[in-house]
Amino acid sequence: MVTDLKKWFVLSKRRYTQLVAAVLYNCNITGFFKGEIYKGPVKGICAPGLNCYSCPGAVLSCPLGSLQSGLVSAKYKFPFYVLGTLILFGLLFGRFICGFLCPFGLFQELIYKIPVPKLKKSRFTRILSYLKYIILMGFVIIIPIVRFEPGFCKYICPAGTAGGAFPLIAVNEKLRPLLGFLFSWKVFVFALILLICMFCFRAFCRFLCPLGALYSLFNPISFFGIKVDHTKCNGCGTCTRNCKMDVKKVCDRECVQCGECIGKCPKGAIGYGAFSIDSRENKNDLKGQ
Amino acid sequence: MKKKLMIVLSVFLLLTGIGLTVYGVTKGGFKDVKNKAIRICNECIGIG
């Protein structure tokens, strides 16, 4: 019993980092009791991960929400600051942010722990992973420019529903009469994502998240991340075979750099490193699939 | 060749990122983001 409890409480370093990041993003604790959002000076800084700025605890801005609201008014003022910040985040860390610094990623991983039959990655899920690029283009870029509304926040974002809507509506009575069809739609989308995440590892990250799609473009050239030592790698494919994401090789666009493969590699060829563009080219492309 | 291209691309993106961020801040981008973020986003919470 004691061992079980110890196992329950013993968290990996990554889990600690995810928890710390989630708490730091949402450290305005009083907001949860008052049903109000933080209005302090640091709210102009974009957080690297997906975290709704309408969450009562949020002290930073959501990069996607900021980008969309910037694009809504892009005709008058282009959101250079948000775009520059996103490029820097992507270039420095790539999808390491998804694996370590995204509160919604942590939420999905915890949901996945519910003991139900699990769907394994396949050719179908790999194809489905391209959907997030369509969402990035359609809901984050085109809809805000053409229809002047934040398409992703409005119709899809489950982080807004979980982090923003639920805690605000639970405490703030003034907001309740304003809820209508859109809220019902968002709750439906959130519940659906939650359900899929129980069966499918990080389903939202893999198939829908436009922030992940954006960072994935930087993954092969990010300054910090997973690297493979060519001299040790024998191309056995253990890393890709054991990975729950739709990766073809370590640190490709789908890799969230969680580091699960580090312990699995029989040759100890995988590790975290900086400025290692050349070492990302490993031999195990699709061998483990 | 590919390695060199990647390095050139990274440096270009780094400079672009820094440039856009600094330019955006000087043009009031930080304030714009803050002004948006200190109000409850109706779309985010499903009002509208």
Side-chain angles (χ1 to χ4, degrees):
Chain A
M1 181 66 182
V2 177
T3 324
D4 287 346
L5 279 174
K6 271 186 181 174
K7 271 184 188 174
W8 181 260
F9 283 108
V10 171
L11 299 169
S12 65
K13 285 177 190 171
R14 188 169 77 89
R15 191 71 81 233
Y16 278 122
T17 316
Q18 286 177 305
L19 279 170
V20 169
V23 171
L24 284 178
Y25 290 164
N26 300 292
C27 59
N28 180 42
I29 306 296
T30 53
F32 288 106
F33 298 104
K34 290 179 184 171
E36 291 171 4
I37 61 170
Y38 173 75
K39 295 174 180 177
V42 291
K43 201 80 186 255
I45 300 170
C46 290
L50 191 68
N51 193 73
C52 185
Y53 45 30
S54 287
C55 171
V59 290
L60 302 174
S61 279
C62 169
L64 276 182
S66 304
L67 181 66
Q68 288 169 88
S69 68
L71 289 173
V72 165
S73 54
K75 196 176 170 185
Y76 311 101
K77 202 174 189 183
F78 193 80
F80 292 109
Y81 164 67
V82 183
L83 200 63
T85 311
L86 282 169
I87 291 174
L88 287 178
F89 281 146
L91 193 63
L92 290 175
F93 300 108
R95 289 196 80 182
F96 176 86
I97 292 166
C98 306
F100 282 78
L101 303 173
C102 183
F104 203 72
L106 168 67
F107 180 68
Q108 288 175 85
E109 286 182 13
L110 296 177
I111 292 293
Y112 188 71
K113 284 188 183 295
I114 295 170
V116 289
K118 305 296 179 190
L119 281 171
K120 288 184 178 173
K121 64 177 178 181
S122 62
R123 194 181 161 83
F124 173 70
T125 57
R126 175 85 185 172
I127 292 167
L128 207 60
S129 70
Y130 287 99
L131 182 62
K132 59 181 173 288
Y133 298 98
I134 297 169
I135 290 174
L136 173 66
M137 277 307 293
F139 286 83
V140 177
I141 298 170
I142 296 172
I143 291 182
I145 292 172
V146 176
R147 292 191 59 184
F148 307 108
E149 60 181 22
F152 179 72
C153 290
K154 190 170 179 179
Y155 301 111
I156 300 174
C157 186
T161 315
F166 291 156
L168 275 177
I169 288 158
V171 182
N172 196 330
E173 289 178 8
K174 288 175 195 167
L175 294 171
R176 287 178 205 162
L178 305 171
L179 304 175
F181 173 75
L182 187 63
F183 179 72
S184 308
W185 167 255
K186 287 208 71 175
V187 172
F188 169 72
V189 171
F190 174 72
L192 193 65
I193 289 171
L194 211 68
L195 189 71
I196 297 169
C197 286
M198 276 168 55
F199 299 95
C200 193
F201 183 72
R202 275 181 170 253
F204 176 74
C205 301
R206 286 160 70 185
F207 313 131
L208 302 172
C209 183
L211 193 59
L214 195 72
Y215 288 150
S216 76
L217 304 174
F218 296 93
N219 230 13
I221 56 165
S222 64
F223 291 167
F224 180 81
I226 290 268
K227 64 168 185 165
V228 179
D229 187 341
H230 274 306
T231 56
K232 290 180 185 172
C233 176
N234 62 0
C236 66
T238 309
C239 47
T240 48
R241 228 179 3 257
N242 283 291
C243 182
K244 294 190 199 89
M245 300 295 285
D246 298 292
V247 295
K248 279 187 175 177
K249 60 179 183 180
V250 175
C251 210
D252 73 356
R253 66 175 176 84
E254 284 303 308
C255 175
V256 290
Q257 310 193 22
C258 63
E260 293 285 325
C261 53
I262 295 174
K264 300 270 169 45
C265 179
K267 296 286 176 184
I270 310 171
Y272 286 106
F275 303 104
S276 50
I277 288 164
D278 56 334
S279 56
R280 304 280 173 80
E281 304 291 319
N282 61 352
K283 303 168 195 169
N284 52 18
D285 299 23
L286 280 176
K287 274 191 176 178
Q289 300 283 309
Chain B
M1 182 63 191
K2 197 180 175 187
K3 184 187 165 188
K4 276 185 182 174
L5 190 74
M6 291 289 213
I7 291 169
V8 171
L9 185 66
S10 320
V11 173
F12 171 75
L13 284 170
L14 179 68
L15 294 174
T16 309
I18 293 170
L20 284 174
T21 308
V22 173
Y23 181 73
V25 170
T26 58
K27 290 284 173 189
F30 184 86
K31 263 187 181 175
D32 294 339
V33 169
K34 192 189 154 203
N35 287 339
K36 167 68 189 167
I38 59 171
R39 291 182 185 90
I40 291 174
C41 168
N42 288 340
E43 289 88 354
C44 297
I45 65 167
I47 295 172

